[in-house]
Amino acid sequence: PWIKVHRCVMRNPEWVELSDSERGQLISLWLLAADRDGVIVASPRLLQQLCFMTKPPNIRKFIELGFIENGIC
């Protein structure tokens, strides 16, 4: 599967306020979710390993900002 990132995300204030590394983490999580029928694990440490990140992602922050849904398992 592939994902589509709409250009309008660049005008989203929440996106703009993310750090460069957080934006990269979010794209990696979207790619992982696309490969797993939209589902990702809730463990930041496991997500760090699965996405080859240097530090665990702040899943809560991405949920609160509306970039991912709270239906993770």
Side-chain angles (χ1 to χ4, degrees), residues 1-3 11 15-16 21-22 26-27 30-31 33 40 44 47 51-53 56 60-61 63-64 67 70 72-73:
W2 57 277
I3 66 169
R11 294 186 300 276
W15 175 267
V16 172
S21 63
E22 288 173 324
L26 187 52
I27 295 290
W30 287 342
L31 288 167
I40 60 173
L47 289 171
C51 294
F52 306 100
M53 297 175 182
R60 268 289 127 219
K61 181 175 185 175
I63 291 170
E64 289 170 4
F67 290 117
N70 196 10
I72 58 179
C73 46

Side-chain angles (χ1 to χ4, degrees), residues 22-47:
E22 288 173 324
R23 285 193 292 267
Q25 287 181 336
L26 187 52
I27 295 290
S28 293
L29 294 175
W30 287 342
L31 288 167
L32 180 66
D35 200 37
R36 296 170 175 245
D37 296 321
V39 178
I40 60 173
V41 297
S43 166
R45 289 279 181 212
L46 184 54
L47 289 171

Side-chain angles (χ1 to χ4, degrees), residues 6-17 23 67:
H6 293 270
R7 291 186 315 261
C8 65
V9 75
M10 294 184 69
R11 294 186 300 276
N12 180 318
E14 287 84 10
W15 175 267
V16 172
E17 291 180 7
R23 285 193 292 267
F67 290 117

